[in-house]
Amino acid sequence: MVSNSTSGSTQRCRVAVTRALPPQAMERFRARHDVWVNPDDRVLSPDELMQVAARADVLVVTAFDRFDAKVFGALPPTLKILATHSVGLEHIDLEAAKQRGLPVLATPDVLSDSVAEMAILLMLGAARRAQEGDRLLYSGQWKGWTPTQLVGVEVTGRRMGILGMGRIGRTIARRARGFDMAVQYHNRQRLPPDLEQGARHHATLAGLLAASDVLVLAAPSTPETRRLLNAETIAQLPSGAIVVNIARGDLIDDSALIAALTSGQVGSAGLDVFNGEPRLDERYKSLANVFLQPHQGSSTLTARLAMAQILLDGIDSMLAGRAAVNRVA
Ligand code: DGY
């Protein structure tokens, strides 16, 4: 149970972490709490999750641990806080959490720079044929420079369309302005001018798609956004557009995107997230015009430490009876 620490007013409690965090982040947790961490570093089964929850005051989980209404119903009453080491929340039924009265903490804001950097890497990797360049070198097939070698697309001055202009979307927009790109966006609500920073709002998705030389998916996975990029919407993009996904794989209908990458309707794609991770549609691997990363958006030490810190601070606030800035339910 929660107990008073001997060093100061911080309460030490039992924190169970379902996946190992980088050592520096684990150290921070251990300095403040009595920590159990999954020694196998694999996704726990629902039964295992319950066993772990039974021994913890705070459960630190990832986007790959599912908390639906059934799981909330079975959680032990001793559990005080659910803390997800993610900005994405699609794995948690927030309504069920509220019904159960279990506070949920997440990691908003602190990973936006890292994820935005990944979006730029994916855009450039797709535009400049980075996968083909890698293969040419690593296969030993490179015969030397020629003017026709791997001619790509210059993104400078082109239109970047951002679907989902939240914190991550706006951070990507700032980076895009560094490439003199004309930022466009579609959001549920138009942003105030200080957040828009000159970006052009499109009231409809179709309007955004038609104006996107580079389309960046930065929206959460919700019933409204799932399979939002499909055959019909892809046809609304300018021919040869670049598609970037740093959000969630289920925003894309893979068969439709693969068909468009094959026909040239989509010129290239940079993807960091996939349907059914860690699996991905195998057909992507045979396409030259894709640049793929294994869900790495927030994987920098800076972001990982900040994610740990915001969770720790939130846990401390909640234990002290204060509001936590990163509480999402
Ligand atoms: C996030 O924070 O949501 C990342 O995608 C990791 O799950």
Side-chain angles (χ1 to χ4, degrees):
M1 291 296 286
V2 176
S3 63
N4 284 326
S5 160
T6 48
S7 58
S9 58
T10 308
Q11 290 181 303
R12 281 188 86 81
C13 64
R14 299 171 309 167
V15 175
V17 187
T18 63
R19 299 301 298 267
L21 308 180
Q24 298 93 325
M26 290 306 316
E27 273 167 32
R28 291 192 188 186
F29 270 95
R30 289 197 175 100
R32 302 243 292 253
H33 297 290
D34 302 325
V35 177
W36 174 90
V37 60
N38 176 2
D40 301 331
D41 195 21
R42 59 170 171 77
V43 178
L44 297 174
S45 70
D47 281 352
E48 290 170 325
L49 208 50
M50 286 305 148
Q51 286 164 22
V52 170
R55 301 192 302 261
D57 303 303
V58 178
L59 200 50
V60 178
V61 303
T62 76
F64 297 87
D65 298 310
R66 306 221 73 79
F67 284 80
D68 55 19
K70 192 167 160 226
V71 172
F72 277 108
L75 282 173
T78 42
L79 188 67
K80 305 282 183 300
I81 299 170
L82 180 65
T84 183
H85 185 268
S86 67
V87 66
L89 298 171
E90 70 286 343
H91 54 301
I92 301 178
D93 182 335
L94 297 175
E95 259 323 299
K98 283 183 200 152
Q99 301 276 324
R100 159 74 170 69
L102 184 65
V104 180
L105 305 176
T107 63
D109 286 328
V110 294
L111 42 64
S112 299
D113 287 328
S114 287
V115 176
E117 288 176 9
M118 175 56 74
I120 298 300
L121 173 67
L122 294 173
M123 173 180 75
L124 295 178
R128 301 304 297 272
R129 306 176 65 173
Q131 185 231 131
E132 291 172 274
D134 259 8
R135 286 198 187 193
L136 193 58
L137 280 170
Y138 286 109
S139 68
Q141 300 295 308
W142 190 37
K143 302 277 189 302
W145 188 91
T146 79
T148 55
Q149 176 185 289
L150 296 181
V151 174
V153 172
E154 184 175 285
V155 296
T156 301
R158 305 243 175 169
R159 299 167 298 175
M160 176 188 277
I162 302 178
L163 178 76
M165 197 68 152
R167 288 168 292 232
I168 292 175
R170 296 198 297 275
T171 310
I172 296 169
R174 284 202 295 280
R175 307 287 179 272
R177 287 185 195 104
F179 289 92
D180 299 330
M181 298 186 82
V183 179
Q184 328 271 314
Y185 75 99
H186 172 63
N187 231 18
R188 271 171 305 188
Q189 281 176 346
R190 183 167 183 175
L191 298 174
D194 60 319
L195 294 183
E196 241 178 19
Q197 293 284 308
R200 177 164 172 218
H201 174 251
H202 293 266
T204 64
L205 175 62
L208 176 77
L209 294 171
S212 296
D213 299 315
V214 177
L215 175 70
V216 180
L217 303 180
S221 166
T222 65
E224 293 75 42
T225 61
R226 280 175 207 138
R227 305 288 185 276
L228 181 140
L229 199 66
N230 52 44
E232 191 187 327
T233 51
I234 286 173
Q236 294 163 7
L237 287 165
S239 175
I242 295 171
V243 169
V244 169
N245 190 4
I246 48 81
R248 287 292 185 257
D250 62 7
L251 270 63
I252 292 179
D253 175 334
D254 289 320
S255 289
L257 179 58
I258 287 163
L261 283 160
T262 307
S263 74
Q265 167 59 13
V266 170
S268 57
L271 309 175
D272 183 49
V273 284
F274 302 93
N275 277 302
E277 292 176 20
R279 290 185 302 279
L280 68 155
D281 193 314
E282 288 294 315
R283 292 173 293 173
Y284 282 121
K285 294 184 189 167
S286 60
L287 292 173
N289 52 347
V290 294
F291 179 65
L292 310 176
Q293 288 293 303
H295 202 146
Q296 293 269 76
S298 60
S299 192
T300 64
L301 187 57
T302 306
R304 290 284 178 262
L305 289 179
M307 291 166 83
Q309 196 60 49
I310 196 172
L311 291 181
L312 277 166
D313 291 345
I315 292 165
D316 277 359
S317 296
M318 299 289 313
L319 294 177
R322 296 191 304 269
V325 289
N326 57 332
R327 183 172 177 179
V328 291

